[in-house]
Amino acid sequence: MTGAVESRQERKRRTRQSLLDAALRLLADSSLAGLSLREVTREAGIVPTAFYRHFASMDELGVALAEESMRTLRTMLRDARQKPADDAIKGSVATLVAQVRKHEPHFRFLVRERYGGAAEVRRAIAAELRLLGSELATDLGRFPGMATWSSDDLRMAADLMVGAMLSIVMALLDVGDHPDDLAQVIGVAERQLRMIALGMAHWHPR
């Protein structure tokens, strides 16, 4: 009996994930607002009525996509912290480039829906970005030179870094296939982060 229950739960999990994956594929050429429930279920290979066993609405599916996409972003930052490079900024940008290439649909969804999506989805992305900023602020506070910073200053520095990272993601999504174009985006990204790091090094907390 237990095996049967686990099997049903696993099937339900797979179907839910297939809906998320189908929506993400369709969102490569559309916004969430322009996507219909029938399109998503047809892409996922299930009947429309089955959708409601997993999500109450398309907005709820969008919130789940936001959470899934932000997990990708947090994993990327965690990997960058756990694999320090000789040049931390160069290494961070290289990690960001690799992750955007690997998970481009997730990043496109976040960038597109952050301001232009449904209110519920925008709020979910904003909440996830605040959580990301809090985690980064905690990490920054562990650096010897920033141990005396106030929580407000740490959060401000973290928000600056998250904002810069998102602008770099947008540039990477828009860049063409020519190697020189990518090299230019990478060069600008590294200078932006070095400028923030320089400002942080000379910041004197009140």
Side-chain angles (χ1 to χ4, degrees):
M1 183 65 179
T2 301
V5 171
E6 289 175 350
S7 179
R8 286 197 298 272
Q9 291 174 341
E10 177 60 21
R11 285 198 298 272
K12 185 175 182 180
R13 187 201 65 78
R14 284 201 304 267
T15 302
R16 185 180 189 275
Q17 189 60 49
S18 71
L19 286 166
L20 291 170
D21 293 343
L24 203 57
R25 288 193 297 273
L26 294 169
L27 285 167
D29 302 308
S30 175
S31 66
L32 187 66
L35 204 59
S36 73
L37 184 153
R38 286 187 176 279
E39 287 177 296
V40 173
T41 52
R42 182 168 59 245
E43 178 73 14
I46 66 173
V47 295
T49 52
F51 177 92
Y52 295 105
R53 297 174 193 159
H54 306 278
F55 302 103
S57 65
M58 285 293 291
D59 283 354
E60 187 174 295
L61 179 144
V63 169
L65 274 178
E67 293 169 349
E68 182 177 78
S69 298
M70 286 301 300
R71 277 197 298 274
T72 298
L73 196 54
R74 286 202 300 274
T75 299
M76 176 203 72
L77 291 176
R78 193 177 303 118
D79 288 345
R81 293 195 298 269
Q82 292 175 350
K83 301 174 184 176
D86 293 336
D87 185 330
I89 288 176
K90 189 179 288 291
S92 295
V93 172
T95 298
L96 185 57
V97 171
Q99 289 297 314
V100 169
R101 290 289 182 262
K102 184 177 179 181
H103 301 286
E104 186 171 318
H106 280 131
F107 287 103
R108 284 198 181 280
F109 172 79
L110 287 174
V111 168
R112 183 185 292 127
E113 303 295 328
R114 185 185 178 195
Y115 294 117
E120 191 175 349
V121 178
R122 292 199 308 270
R123 285 194 294 269
I125 293 174
E128 290 285 344
L129 286 172
R130 286 194 296 272
L131 176 60
L132 180 63
S134 295
E135 292 176 355
L136 184 54
T138 299
D139 285 342
L140 291 175
R142 296 191 178 103
F143 284 93
M146 302 173 75
T148 60
W149 284 32
S150 70
S151 58
D152 286 344
D153 285 348
L154 288 170
R155 184 56 192 263
M156 181 169 60
D159 287 344
L160 281 171
M161 294 178 71
V162 170
M165 180 182 60
L166 289 173
S167 71
I168 294 167
V169 167
M170 291 176 65
L172 289 170
L173 291 173
D174 290 339
V175 74
D177 295 328
H178 198 284
D180 289 346
D181 295 335
L182 178 58
Q184 183 176 6
V185 169
I186 291 173
V188 170
E190 290 177 355
R191 289 198 299 275
Q192 284 178 336
L193 293 179
R194 290 188 197 283
M195 189 176 294
I196 292 173
L198 184 64
M200 289 165 60
H202 290 82
W203 180 253
H204 298 290
R206 290 191 300 273

